[in-house]
Amino acid sequence: MNEWPLVELTAVACLTAMTAYVLFAGADFGGGVWDLFATGPRARPQRALIADTIAPIWEANHVWLILVVVILFTGFPIAYARLSVSLHIPLTLMLIGVVLRGSAFTFRSYDRRDDDVQRRWGLVFAVASLVTPLLLGVTAGAVAAGAVAPPGVRSFAAAYVSPWLAPFPVAIGVLTLLLFAFLAAVYLTVEAKDAALAGDFRVRALGAGVLLLPGAVIALYLAQSDAPWVFEELTGATWAPVLHFLTGGAALTALAALWRRHYRIARTAAAVQTALIVVGWAMAQWPYILPPTMSVYDAAAPTATLTLLVGALAAGAVILFPALAYLFAIFGKPPRNR
C-alpha cells in the first residue's frame, strides 16, 4: 500500500466528508434560518415541517464533521494544529453554536408546550442556526485567504482576530449562509405535502438562489486582493471554464425547476450546484491545505499513519454508507410505514 497515492486519497476523503457535511448538515442549518423567518398564517406549519424534516437525521449529519476533524487531526496534523490555534475563536464559537442548536432543538421538542418556553428554545435554535454557518464560512474564507500564518511574535488581535475578521472571510461566511438557506428551502419544497406550504418554501428558495449570484460576485471580487491564488485558479486554470459552466448550469436548472414547481429536479440540481462550489474551492487551493505556504504534502502524516488511516476509512465506509442509506430509507417513509 506504500505505492498508493496516500496523501491524495486522504485529501479526497476529507473533501468528500466536507461536501457531505455541507449537503446534509448545511440544509439542517438552513432549516433553522427559515425557522427564524417563519411568517404569515402558515408560520406554525412551516416550523413543524422544518422540525419533522430535521428531527430524524440531524445528529447523523454531524458524523461528516467529526470525520473531517479526524482526518485532519490524523492525516494532516501540522495543518490541524495551526488551524486550531490561529482560528480558535471562530472554531470555538462554531462548536458552541452546534451544541446550543442541538440542545435547543431537543428541549423545544420535549420541554413544556407553553408559548413562552417554545419561543425561548426556538429563538436559541434559530440564532445558533444563523450564526454557526456564518462562522463556518468565515473559517473557510480565512483559510482560502492564506490568513492562517505560522506562529510568531504578534499582538493578540493580529494573531487571532485579524485572520478571520476581514472582508473576504466575512463575504464567504455570508455566501455560506445563503447557500445553506437555499439548500434547505429547496429540500423543504420536496418534503412539504401541502401545496401552499411547498409554495412558501419555493418563494424562499428562489429568493436565496437569486441572492447567491451577487454574493458569489462580491466574494470573487474580494478574492482578487485577499486570496489572489484562489482567484487566479478560479479565473485562469484550464478546468475553470468547465467548472463555471457546470455550476452555472446547475444553478439555472435549480431556479427554472423551482419556477415551474418541479421540486425533485430542483433538489438534485441544487445539490449538484453546492457540491461543485465546494469542489471548486478545493481545486482552486490544490495542492495547498493552508495557502500559500503549506501543501498537503508538507502537512501529511508519516506513511505508516496514512496507510492505517486510509485502511480505516475504507473499512469504515463499508459500515457507514449502508447504515446511512438505511437511515434515510427508514425516515423517508411516512410515519405509519416505518
Side-chain angles (χ1 to χ4, degrees), residues 108-158:
R108 191 175 70 169
S109 302
Y110 296 104
D111 205 342
R112 298 197 317 272
R113 310 308 296 176
D114 303 354
D115 285 347
D116 58 333
V117 174
Q118 291 295 305
R119 272 197 298 271
R120 180 181 64 206
W121 293 123
L123 182 63
V124 175
F125 170 71
V127 171
S129 298
L130 192 71
V131 173
T132 306
L134 190 67
L135 291 167
L136 177 64
V138 164
T139 301
V143 171
V148 185
V153 180
R154 292 176 291 171
S155 67
F156 180 87

Side-chain angles (χ1 to χ4, degrees), residues 1 4 31 36 61 119 140-141 147 188 192 196 211 215 227 246 261 288 304 323 332:
M1 200 167 182
W4 288 36
L36 180 65
N61 288 336
R119 272 197 298 271
L188 287 166
L211 285 175
L246 293 176
R261 292 182 168 80
Y288 294 102

Side-chain angles (χ1 to χ4, degrees), residues 139-256:
T139 301
V143 171
V148 185
V153 180
R154 292 176 291 171
S155 67
F156 180 87
Y160 304 118
V161 179
S162 299
W164 57 274
L165 197 57
F168 179 71
V170 171
I172 297 298
V174 173
L175 188 63
T176 304
L177 182 62
L178 284 172
L179 186 61
F180 286 6
F182 171 65
L183 264 185
V186 174
Y187 288 1
L188 287 166
T189 59
V190 178
E191 298 297 328
K193 305 305 177 191
D194 179 77
L197 202 54
D200 290 343
F201 288 107
R202 169 179 171 267
V203 172
R204 288 162 171 77
L206 285 169
V210 170
L211 285 175
L212 277 173
L213 179 59
V217 170
I218 292 171
L220 191 61
Y221 173 77
L222 292 171
Q224 290 184 77
S225 55
D226 295 354
W229 36 85
V230 171
F231 178 80
E232 288 173 8
E233 287 295 310
L234 285 176
T235 56
T238 53
W239 49 263
V242 177
L243 176 77
H244 296 317
F245 175 77
L246 293 176
T247 307
L252 290 175
T253 301
L255 293 176

Side-chain angles (χ1 to χ4, degrees), residues 1-2 4-11 71 74-77 296-297 299-313:
M1 200 167 182
N2 289 347
W4 288 36
L6 293 170
V7 176
E8 290 84 352
L9 286 173
T10 306
I71 293 174
T74 311
F76 306 104
V296 291
Y297 305 102
T303 300
T305 303
L306 292 182
T307 302
L308 290 171
L309 177 60
V310 170
L313 289 171

Side-chain angles (χ1 to χ4, degrees), residues 46-63:
Q46 288 168 12
R47 290 195 174 98
L49 174 63
I50 292 167
D52 290 344
T53 305
I54 291 176
I57 55 172
W58 68 274
E59 285 182 291
N61 288 336
H62 289 300
V63 166

Side-chain angles (χ1 to χ4, degrees), residues 252-335:
L252 290 175
T253 301
L255 293 176
L258 282 168
W259 185 260
R260 298 179 65 84
R261 292 182 168 80
H262 297 318
Y263 297 137
R264 292 187 180 278
I265 295 175
R267 181 175 63 178
T268 302
V272 171
Q273 175 191 355
T274 303
L276 286 172
I277 290 173
V278 178
V279 171
W281 166 53
M283 290 176 69
Q285 278 201 193
W286 184 261
Y288 294 102
I289 190 168
L290 295 180
T293 57
M294 184 183 290
S295 72
V296 291
Y297 305 102
D298 300 327
T303 300
T305 303
L306 292 182
T307 302
L308 290 171
L309 177 60
V310 170
L313 289 171
V318 174
I319 300 172
L320 178 64
F321 287 113
L324 284 175
Y326 184 62
L327 179 72
F328 281 107
I330 289 292
F331 288 105
K333 296 178 181 177

